[in-house]
Each structure stands twice: as structure tokens, then as C-alpha cells.
Amino acid sequence: MTAAQQPKLAEHDEIAQRLYEICDQIIDWGHASANIAVVPAKDDGSPDHGKAHPVNMSSPSSDSGPVDMAEALRWVVLIDDIDACEPQTSLIFWVNHETGNPTLEQVSGPADDADIAMRIIARDIGAAPPVQDNEPSALLKSMDEFLARRDREKPIAANDNKPAPQQAPAAKPADATLPVICPAEWHGKPVPAREWYAEDLIPNRQVTIVSGDGGVGKSLLTLQVAAAGALGVETMGMRPSTGRVVYLGAEDEADEFHRRLDDIVTAHGKELRDLSDFRLLPMADLDALLARPDMRMNMQPTELFAKLVDLLCGFQPKLLVLDTAADLFGGDEIKRNQVRQFIGLLRKVAISLDCAVVLLTHPSVAGMQSGTGSSGSTAWNNSVRSRLYLTRPEGKDADPDLRFLTTKKANYGAVGGEIKLRWKAGVFVLDDGKPAAGSILVAAHAERVFRDLLSLFNRTGQNVSDVTGTSYAPAKMAGHPEADGLSKKVLAAAMQRLLDRGEIKIIKEGPASRQRKRLILAAEDYGAKDE
């Protein structure tokens, strides 16, 4: 019976069974990887195989089978890691519900791979897989010994910058699907504007690297930019695109993000409930690898990467932040091809979802010494379109709160630009010699809260002072329900400003042998003795 003569598939469990069998058959041969995937749906709910790119596909609702026929019709076998093909080459296999006819189609990768990939998979589906012998042959044993000896004797290169041996490119047949454009056709049409997530710093639909030594604050910096985008506000002189954000942090726990985001929203006059367009993935205690090399040393996406893509497709963010490469990249950072493949995976996400991707990295010792902020292979720098480097001033008398954000690479702008920042009350603020409008508003708000609480404390007999201890005013106020979430540090700064302006006073009370100091509002001074 030919494929065209096969009976129609009537039940969704029958469709699942057929695809599971095909999937197992391909895996048994060992020439490719295979998994069940679900293609996107059209408006009427029918499968849209035309959009069946791996980035757009999702996992089945259950390993036991589709929940209904609508999902079953969207099931396919996703085939990748195909022998002799590029890492990005993928095929899908599905069975037409009406006719019972099978279809095998390439959905990603170079068109040159189509013929060999389909031949390999079609053969594997139609033929019986070889019987596996647990005992390796004499030839395999001798090859293992040869490879082990070669690896022991192979010299270790000092770096990976030595060019690979030049090979003549293989002749490629003409392909009608090449994206050929004649620029003359653009005559008279408006030139498309450059798209930015943060102008001149973070381009849209590209990968940007933000590097910085441990503890300098690159995670806080990017978290603040991401939060500003979700809040729709300006920060540090930047105006990120307003929209949804996904932040995957592999170095910090949820509690640390809670503290940092609380400081960030407070600094912008907002509240945590305003971050409804922010999605956080704290993975400090979990396996956070997004890609790792296969047996051929090519980078392959992990199950976590697939789940992340699924989240991104549903949430549609304008920004994806990945913190940091050391925890997310499972390859060798000095191997150029592995670095380029990893950045390629991220760029594919950026283009497919029309978003910006920011990847945090740690510079190497040489990168810090040279001031370039580079790390490992030059491919980290060469594969991205923008790279920013966050540093702090050096020296015995250097200001510990000062930071410099420098543009080290900008394909779409000028290199060498520098933004001067200052750490203040849990966030970075623009340090241009003038107070930012946002910081003025926050300071005024903190001073009003301090005055109101000080008046309340004095009216209720709760004496507070400017001296650290059990009656320290900023500490007692920070824990009060009316403190509006302001931290002790913010309130302490407000107290000092009010003292400097004379709006609050320190008075002494009690006998000379046992006097106590107390804070009062100057407007409520009814003849108390000043300090």
C-alpha cells in the first residue's frame, strides 16, 4: 500500500501514535535528533506549517498525547542535528489528516542542506535501523586509541586567533530562493529609520553585550534599564522603548531582585505593582545553560532555551536580558565557532520576535588591563553589533560610587562615547553635575514623608533622634506603614538635607546630668532648648 492509499487518520491518539513511531525510528538510526513539537495555529485554529520555524514552535501540552484534535493537527516531528548538515538545519514531518499522506519539509537552515537532509531522513523512516552491538568493533577500538594519542600529543594554542586553514569554497548551485534585491528599486521610497531600544546604545533586533568586572554593577545597570522600559520612564539620561521585558538572572536569587527592584521603582516615584510588564526568571540555584556543544562541538539549544523561547513567543517582550554568559553559555569561550553559534541563536530570537537582546559578560584579566573589556575569543566582540563596558575609577582616592559606561563597539553609531553615572540610594543616576529631575522629585517626596512622620512621632510621644541607636529616626521611620516604602538610607539623606536647611532641629531635654537629644520640626518649636 502506497502512502497515498493509506486510510485517513480519524482520532487524535492515532495521529500521535503515528508521529511517535516516526520519531522513535529517526532516533534509533542515530543520524539526527527528533522531538514532537507543535506548529503555530492560523486564525481559524488550523495548523500554519508556513510559520513552523523552530523558534515559533512550542512543546506538546502533554507527553501522553494531544488533548484534542485541534492540537493533534498541529503536531509534527521536529528533526535537527542532521548528519552532514549545518547546526541550524531543521526539518518537520507530519501526516495530512484528510489524505493520510506524509510530508517532509525543511523549515530552517541553508537551502543547500535540503536535498541531503531529506534523503537521510526519508531513508531512516523507510528502512529498519541497524541492530546495536554493545561491544565495539576492533576498528572502533583502534580509532579510540588513535584519537586519545593524538589529543595527548596535540600542542595547546595560546589563543584562538590563528586563522583556520583556507579551503576552496565548494561550488553551490543557483538557488531561486536567494533574497536578491536591486537597490535601484528603493529609489523614491522613504529610508527606514534605525530602530533602537535605547538610542545609540542598544539597537533593536540585535544582540548587545554589556561587560563589567564582578561587583561593578552591570546587573543593576541592566535591571534598571529593563525596569525603566517596563515602567515607561526615563533613567540615567536614557529613554528605553516602552514595552514588556523578560530578565533571566543566573547569578542572583529572587530576594535580591526584590530588593533591587524596590529601590529602582522608588527612585522613579513608582511602586512594584507598576511592573506588570516585567517577567523575572531568577535561576541562581538552577541549571541555566541555554546552549551546549554536541558531539561535533557545535552549539545546540538546551531544553531551557526551548522553554525560554516558548515564554518569549507568548509574552512578546521588547527586551530580553540574559545575565550572565558565564552561566548561560556551555561552550568554550575561546572557540570562535562556538561563540558565534551561541550569539547566532540569540540573534535569531531578536529578529524573530522583533526585540532587543542584552547579554551580560565578565571581561578577562587582559580585557580589564587593556581597558577594552573583552573576554575570551574575539568572536564575542565581532558577533554583536553593540558592546558596552561599565567601569569604576581606579586609585586610592577614587570615588567608590562613580561609574563610567563606555561604548566599545557600535556598528550603528560612534565608538568611545561615555556616560558618567553615580550609585545613589540603590540605583544609578546620571552624574552630569546637575541633579536629575527625577532625583529632585524623589528627594522632595522623601523629605515630605520625613516631616510628616516626625510630626506624628512627636504628637504621640515617640521621641526620635539623629543618633544611630534604638531611637534613630530614619530606622524607625523606614519600618512605619506611612513611610511609603522609603529605605533607611533615603530617609537619612532627607534628614540631613532638612537639618542643613533648618526645617528640623535637634533639641535637648532633661536635667543637665542626663540630657537627651530629640528631633523636632522647626515649625513646631514652642520654646524648646536648642542643642
Side-chain angles (χ1 to χ4, degrees):
M1 181 182 296
T2 65
Q5 298 170 326
Q6 293 179 9
K8 298 178 182 179
L9 302 177
E11 300 294 337
H12 60 269
D13 56 349
E14 186 179 352
I15 295 176
Q17 182 62 32
R18 173 71 60 83
L19 295 182
Y20 276 132
E21 291 172 355
I22 295 297
C23 189
D24 291 341
Q25 175 87 355
I26 294 171
I27 293 173
D28 286 345
W29 271 101
H31 297 141
S33 299
N35 290 286
I36 301 296
V38 183
V39 301
K42 297 180 180 178
D43 292 339
D44 60 2
S46 61
D48 191 349
H49 294 104
K51 294 183 179 179
H53 190 281
V55 171
N56 297 329
M57 289 187 272
S58 56
S59 301
S61 58
S62 170
D63 291 338
S64 59
V67 295
D68 53 30
M69 180 59 79
E71 182 187 339
L73 295 179
R74 294 166 54 204
W75 270 35
V76 298
V77 179
L78 175 61
I79 308 160
D80 48 25
D81 296 338
I82 306 167
D83 284 355
C85 295
E86 293 296 320
Q88 60 268 36
T89 298
S90 300
L91 307 180
I92 57 170
F93 173 92
W94 79 93
V95 179
N96 186 291
H97 171 61
E98 295 296 330
T99 66
N101 290 336
T103 300
L104 186 64
E105 180 181 355
Q106 183 179 5
V107 294
S108 67
D112 293 343
D113 282 350
D115 182 62
I116 186 171
M118 290 191 179
R119 286 175 181 270
I120 290 174
I121 301 307
R123 182 200 62 190
D124 288 359
I125 292 174
V131 177
Q132 297 295 323
D133 187 354
N134 292 330
E135 180 65 22
S137 65
L139 177 59
L140 284 176
K141 290 180 179 179
S142 64
M143 281 300 297
D144 287 342
E145 293 171 359
F146 166 75
L147 292 174
R149 184 174 67 254
R150 183 200 63 178
D151 290 341
R152 287 195 302 268
E153 298 172 356
K154 184 179 178 180
I156 300 174
N159 57 55
D160 71 334
N161 294 324
K162 182 179 179 181
Q166 297 297 313
Q167 296 181 352
K172 295 185 178 181
D175 192 321
T177 63
L178 286 174
V180 179
I181 294 176
C182 176
E185 297 174 358
W186 290 335
H187 179 72
K189 296 181 179 179
V191 178
R194 175 83 63 202
E195 295 184 16
W196 295 92
Y197 180 77
E199 191 168 359
D200 296 332
L201 294 173
I202 304 175
N204 195 38
R205 298 169 64 87
Q206 292 291 343
V207 182
T208 295
I209 282 181
V210 176
S211 61
D213 191 15
V216 75
K218 61 183 178 296
S219 296
L220 174 60
L221 174 82
T222 50
L223 187 67
Q224 189 172 331
V225 172
L231 293 169
V233 300
E234 181 179 327
T235 188
M236 298 177 289
M238 311 175 204
R239 185 61 192 244
S241 296
T242 301
R244 295 177 170 179
V245 170
V246 173
Y247 191 111
L248 190 160
E251 291 193 328
D252 295 302
E253 299 180 60
D255 286 350
E256 180 59 29
F257 282 111
H258 189 166
R259 288 187 287 268
R260 290 183 179 182
L261 285 170
D262 187 58
D263 286 339
I264 290 170
V265 296
T266 299
H268 290 90
K270 301 287 185 177
E271 297 177 325
L272 285 172
R273 63 183 175 183
D274 296 319
L275 288 176
S276 57
D277 283 340
F278 198 108
R279 294 294 181 271
L280 176 66
L281 300 172
M283 302 193 67
D285 56 344
L286 301 172
D287 180 3
L289 286 181
L290 295 179
R292 56 168 58 92
D294 59 16
M295 295 180 64
R296 297 190 295 273
M297 294 295 104
N298 291 320
M299 297 301 295
Q300 299 298 334
T302 62
E303 183 180 353
L304 174 62
F305 185 86
K307 291 180 179 178
L308 176 62
V309 168
D310 191 36
L311 168 65
L312 298 172
C313 289
F315 193 59
Q316 293 292 309
K318 290 298 295 178
L319 174 68
L320 168 65
V321 178
L322 302 171
D323 181 10
T324 67
D327 301 287
L328 309 176
F329 172 67
D332 187 337
E333 68 172 14
I334 67 170
K335 291 188 181 298
R336 184 180 291 108
N337 64 320
Q338 291 185 2
V339 172
R340 294 189 68 88
Q341 289 167 14
F342 180 63
I343 298 297
L345 284 173
L346 304 183
R347 185 183 300 112
K348 186 183 298 183
V349 170
I351 294 174
S352 301
L353 295 176
D354 189 27
C355 70
V357 175
V358 171
L359 175 66
L360 276 62
T361 66
H362 295 293
S364 64
V365 174
M368 288 187 289
Q369 292 174 344
S370 65
T372 62
S374 59
S375 174
S377 167
T378 55
W380 289 106
N381 182 73
N382 296 340
S383 299
V384 298
R385 293 294 173 265
S386 177
R387 184 168 66 85
L388 310 176
Y389 187 32
L390 184 67
T391 59
R392 58 159 55 97
E394 301 292 338
K396 183 178 65 174
D397 299 324
D399 186 340
D401 294 331
L402 195 60
R403 301 289 188 276
F404 300 100
L405 182 64
T406 309
T407 305
K408 291 298 183 181
K409 180 179 181 181
N411 282 43
Y412 308 139
V415 176
E418 184 177 270
I419 300 175
K420 192 176 179 182
L421 304 172
R422 178 171 298 280
W423 186 91
K424 186 175 183 180
V427 297
F428 285 119
V429 296
L430 189 64
D431 188 351
D432 57 0
K434 298 179 293 184
S439 63
I440 293 174
L441 292 173
V442 172
H445 174 65
E447 291 168 10
R448 178 183 60 77
V449 170
F450 192 98
R451 286 194 301 266
D452 291 347
L453 284 175
L454 181 56
S455 179
L456 173 64
F457 284 179
N458 285 329
R459 291 197 309 271
T460 56
Q462 303 177 66
N463 295 344
V464 292
S465 77
D466 65 318
V467 180
T468 55
T470 56
S471 62
Y472 185 48
K476 294 198 69 172
M477 290 179 179
H480 196 276
E482 299 299 321
D484 204 16
L486 297 178
S487 67
K488 180 175 69 173
K489 184 179 293 184
V490 171
L491 290 166
M495 177 180 69
Q496 189 59 54
R497 290 193 298 272
L498 293 170
L499 283 168
D500 293 343
R501 296 202 300 266
E503 293 186 35
I504 63 174
K505 302 172 64 176
I506 302 171
I507 64 171
K508 294 180 180 180
E509 294 180 327
S513 60
R514 195 179 176 184
Q515 284 190 334
R516 294 179 181 274
K517 293 198 298 182
R518 179 163 67 93
L519 284 174
I520 65 169
L521 289 171
E524 297 179 354
D525 185 355
Y526 306 117
K529 183 180 179 182
D530 293 349
E531 181 180 17

